Amino acid sequence: GLGLEWGTLDDVVMGGRSASSFQLTTDDDGLAVGRFEGVVTTRGGGGFTGVRTRTLSPPLDLRAAAAAAEGGGDLTVVLRVRGDGNRFKFVMRDDEDWNGVAWTQSFDTAAGEWTT
């Protein structure tokens, strides 16, 4: 694996009162499984929770990974999530610059159902 360091980032950085947690484990097949949970509130400002890794240095070379992918086509990132009926957003960067390009995708979940 990549040995990623994960951490939560909640709206308390802006004076909010939301809170979350994240635990990384493995499933019966040895695959990494992350459990992210929390409570979002707009009381006191803010209104968000999130989980992220530290910036990778050097960053992943997504262009090289796409070129090496089957058929030399586009690189595809697949998430398998079990949600709570809310909308989530996945953000991925291919640069160490925090203000650089961010690839994002929002997705909806169905409460208690797995989706890919």
Side-chain angles (χ1 to χ4, degrees), residues 8-24:
T8 58
L9 178 66
D10 303 326
D11 60 13
V12 295
V13 299
M14 300 170 47
R17 297 180 182 164
S18 300
S20 66
S21 64
F22 181 79
Q23 297 86 36
L24 189 62

Side-chain angles (χ1 to χ4, degrees), residues 2-43:
L2 296 172
L4 301 176
E5 291 182 52
W6 294 88
T8 58
L9 178 66
D10 303 326
D11 60 13
V12 295
V13 299
M14 300 170 47
R17 297 180 182 164
S18 300
S20 66
S21 64
F22 181 79
Q23 297 86 36
L24 189 62
T25 61
T26 56
D27 67 10
D28 293 339
D29 296 322
L31 299 173
V33 175
R35 181 179 178 98
F36 173 67
E37 58 188 353
V39 176
V40 176
T41 179
T42 56
R43 271 190 345 221

Side-chain angles (χ1 to χ4, degrees), residues 49-103:
T49 62
V51 62
R52 61 177 56 177
T53 65
R54 289 189 176 273
T55 302
L56 301 179
S57 183
L60 296 176
D61 188 345
L62 300 179
R63 288 176 187 84
E70 187 174 319
D74 296 331
L75 178 68
T76 301
V77 175
V78 178
L79 299 177
R80 183 170 182 256
V81 300
R82 183 172 63 193
D84 58 4
N86 286 306
R87 174 171 283 189
F88 292 85
K89 180 168 69 171
F90 176 76
V91 180
M92 187 170 181
R93 299 179 190 275
D94 62 358
D95 191 312
E96 291 179 82
D97 181 2
W98 187 251
N99 294 315
V101 173
W103 308 93

